[in-house]
Amino acid sequence: MNEKLLQFIWQYQYFQNADLRTTDGEPIAIVKTGMPNSNHGPDFLEARIRIGDLLWTGSVEVHVEASGWIKHHHGEDAQYKNVMLHVVWKNDVRSKKKMPPCPVLELQPLVPRLMLQQYSHLMKHGGFIPCDKSIAATSPLVLTHWKERLLTERLLQKAAPVLEGIQQTGGHWEEIFWRTLARNFGIIVNATAFEEMAVLTPLNLLAKNKHAQVKIESLLMGQSGLLEDLFQDEYPRMLQQEYRLMSMKYQLRQSPVKPLFLRMRPLAFPTIRLSQLATLVYQSSHLLSAILEKDKIEDVKDLFRVPANDYWLYHYRFDNAATFKEKILGEDMVNNIITNTIIPVLFAYGQQKNEPKYKQRALNWLLQMPAEVNSIIRAFSRLGVKVNDAAGSQALIQLKNQYCRTRRCLECAVGAALLKNA
Ligand code: SF4
């Protein structure tokens, strides 16, 4: 037994509570278990409990062993004066000296053994997730509500760095969108390198050079440190020349993090991604404002179906000729950008501007996006947990990363249902 589990058992009343009595034999009826308190003070506040003939309102303190009251010096702490019930797993104190003057409720004899076994299994079991044998049997209603909460939690989590950036830049939404978008174009391996490049290549610098796509491309490649070699082809030499001129003119500082090419599909090489990003910057101005005006997700997708520059029809890296291949940003990558950049920024925008319509649109768009395909979603699918859209896949990613990995089963609706039904 641990205190967290005991608090959980008290909060959800997972014990036999018919003919409940204190250790002194007085009858108890729980009207309200109280609000969990994560700050200093008793574990539950504003509980309502009938003890004997009197209805009490006050705090409840929970300890695995009753002697915890003495060990933690609660008797000397004014915050605990309002405690009206001491809930313990085991009453290991016989003398009432130093103990709170309130009644004691001992839960050990009242909690089903099966529930404890189920909890122990969740805390010890290996595998993809601790409840891998049971999650598929969770009631669809419980799972649906829980996934909705997880999705909101994930969107809030993803919106947090956006809102932080907005604070730091004094409310420059387009700039933060540019950095977030560039990071997304780097897809995990080069995310930091691309974001650093975007921070050092602000939108006003790009705007000054928007009359020529090649200038934008040379800025993005050069700022990423990809124009440092001795090149054979005319195209990279021209980009290099352009970059050197602009570097001197604007006193540019290159990103300290250079993009990597290792273990990557050629279509995702940083050269190809940066060229596509350059086309996007060249073709659109005030991109976030344009997105905010769109109602339909298909219209947003159209903005992002951009090609790399013509040189890249026959290349994946500078100076390395290859067979012809168009390098238009693919459907999967566009979906990825919508799920991981556009929707979180839209949600953050609605939150900061207090405009619920943007948050609602973010949720609607997620429901229209296909579920992501990755190792987490594949593993859930093998366990019988299916998802139909990106809203579902985002919720399951949140579940796995924020709950299952650290065994927060007591805070999870699936865990609560499993323990309740044990
Ligand atoms: S956190 Fe929830 S879903 Fe994850 S293992 Fe625990 S009970 Fe299962």
Side-chain angles (χ1 to χ4, degrees):
M1 180 51 59
N2 61 61
E3 206 157 298
K4 233 176 167 181
L5 176 59
L6 193 57
Q7 287 170 354
F8 172 86
I9 290 171
W10 168 257
Q11 186 179 356
Y12 296 101
Q13 296 193 54
Y14 288 167
F15 50 88
Q16 295 156 26
N17 57 9
D19 193 25
L20 212 53
R21 286 180 183 269
T22 68
T23 49
D24 287 338
E26 266 195 299
I28 296 192
I30 300 156
V31 182
K32 230 173 96 189
T33 54
M35 288 183 304
N37 174 29
S38 50
N39 300 315
H40 177 68
D43 295 311
F44 293 88
L45 307 175
E46 294 176 37
R48 299 193 81 200
I49 297 169
R50 186 176 293 283
I51 305 171
D53 293 332
L54 290 175
L55 181 62
W56 297 79
T57 299
S59 307
V60 172
E61 178 63 5
V62 175
H63 282 123
V64 176
E65 287 171 336
S67 54
W69 180 275
I70 303 165
K71 280 188 202 136
H72 300 151
H73 305 287
H74 292 332
E76 298 138 39
D77 189 334
Q79 298 253 31
Y80 289 81
K81 282 217 160 66
N82 198 23
V83 172
M84 60 171 171
L85 184 68
H86 192 196
V87 174
V88 303
W89 180 247
K90 201 168 129 203
N91 188 19
D92 62 337
V93 179
R94 293 293 156 233
S95 153
K96 291 202 173 172
K97 242 173 45 184
K98 292 196 184 168
M99 290 307 285
C102 64
V104 177
L105 174 65
E106 191 180 41
L107 290 185
Q108 191 176 26
L110 309 173
V111 175
R113 188 167 294 275
L114 264 178
M115 194 196 94
L116 298 177
Q117 283 168 358
Q118 179 70 276
Y119 175 75
S120 167
H121 174 81
L122 287 176
M123 292 303 111
K124 288 182 191 154
H125 182 64
F128 169 63
I129 54 171
C131 70
D132 52 8
K133 302 276 183 305
S134 357
I135 188 167
T138 311
S139 132
L141 195 67
V142 168
L143 211 50
T144 304
H145 283 153
W146 179 225
K147 284 202 285 190
E148 281 169 11
R149 268 186 54 197
L150 287 166
L151 179 60
T152 308
E153 204 178 285
R154 184 157 181 84
L155 285 171
L156 286 170
Q157 193 179 305
K158 284 182 155 192
V162 176
L163 293 172
E164 205 177 298
I166 289 301
Q167 255 195 345
Q168 284 164 4
T169 56
H172 205 318
W173 279 94
E174 291 287 350
E175 194 71 48
I176 292 303
F177 182 66
W178 158 238
R179 292 178 191 174
T180 314
L181 183 65
R183 183 179 174 84
N184 200 160
F185 264 75
I187 289 283
I188 304 176
V189 175
N190 288 318
T192 306
F194 280 25
E195 187 178 8
E196 289 278 333
M197 176 279 295
V199 170
L200 294 164
T201 318
L203 282 180
N204 61 2
L205 172 65
L206 294 169
K208 282 180 197 152
N209 295 282
K210 267 191 91 161
H211 50 282
Q213 183 169 352
V214 79
K215 278 183 180 280
I216 304 286
E217 188 161 323
S218 61
L219 269 173
L220 303 197
M221 298 279 186
Q223 287 287 80
S224 299
L226 295 178
L227 295 176
E228 298 299 303
D229 295 342
L230 274 175
F231 297 112
Q232 302 296 316
D233 286 358
E234 199 180 311
Y235 183 69
R237 282 162 57 186
M238 186 252 298
L239 290 182
Q240 196 172 47
Q241 174 77 358
E242 283 287 351
Y243 178 65
R244 282 180 182 159
L245 287 172
M246 286 190 284
S247 184
M248 276 194 291
K249 184 175 174 186
Y250 301 116
Q251 298 286 297
L252 296 180
R253 201 155 51 86
Q254 234 177 55
S255 163
V257 191
K258 209 169 164 181
L260 302 170
F261 288 79
L262 280 176
R263 289 189 287 281
M264 208 174 273
R265 288 178 310 117
L267 278 173
F269 277 176
T271 37
I272 305 300
R273 291 296 185 224
L274 286 173
S275 179
Q276 290 162 335
L277 189 55
T279 309
L280 185 63
V281 172
Y282 174 68
Q283 285 183 359
S284 48
S285 47
H286 305 295
L287 192 52
L288 179 60
S289 304
I291 292 167
L292 290 172
E293 283 168 15
K294 307 269 182 242
D295 276 330
K296 294 195 188 120
I297 200 159
E298 276 312 312
D299 294 343
V300 177
K301 285 188 181 183
D302 286 345
L303 292 173
F304 284 83
R305 291 191 179 106
V306 288
N309 217 345
D310 284 355
Y311 175 81
W312 302 106
L313 289 171
Y314 293 95
H315 295 85
Y316 291 91
R317 300 183 72 150
F318 290 123
D319 288 347
N320 283 333
T323 51
F324 175 87
K325 170 101 182 134
E326 275 191 318
K327 314 283 187 334
I328 296 174
L329 206 61
E331 187 72 11
D332 286 351
M333 185 63 184
V334 173
N335 287 344
N336 187 304
I337 289 167
I338 292 178
T339 304
N340 293 303
T341 293
I342 295 177
I343 287 171
V345 172
L346 195 61
F347 193 86
Y349 189 85
Q351 204 181 340
Q352 203 250 4
K353 301 276 179 195
N354 203 12
E355 294 231 39
K357 72 173 179 184
Y358 293 113
K359 287 162 80 174
Q360 192 52 51
R361 197 183 297 166
L363 289 167
N364 289 344
W365 282 358
L366 267 181
L367 288 165
Q368 292 169 46
M369 298 290 297
E372 291 135 293
V373 182
N374 56 36
S375 59
I376 292 180
I377 302 306
R378 275 194 294 268
F380 271 116
S381 170
R382 280 195 293 275
L383 298 180
V385 183
K386 303 274 183 251
V387 287
N388 303 319
D389 46 48
S393 54
Q394 285 286 298
L396 288 185
I397 292 168
Q398 183 76 357
L399 177 60
K400 167 70 181 170
N401 290 342
Q402 301 299 322
Y403 290 83
C404 309
R405 274 191 209 286
T406 45
R407 297 183 195 262
R408 290 172 63 194
C409 304
L410 293 179
E411 296 160 66
C412 162
V414 175
L418 278 173
L419 294 175
K420 187 180 179 186
N421 299 329

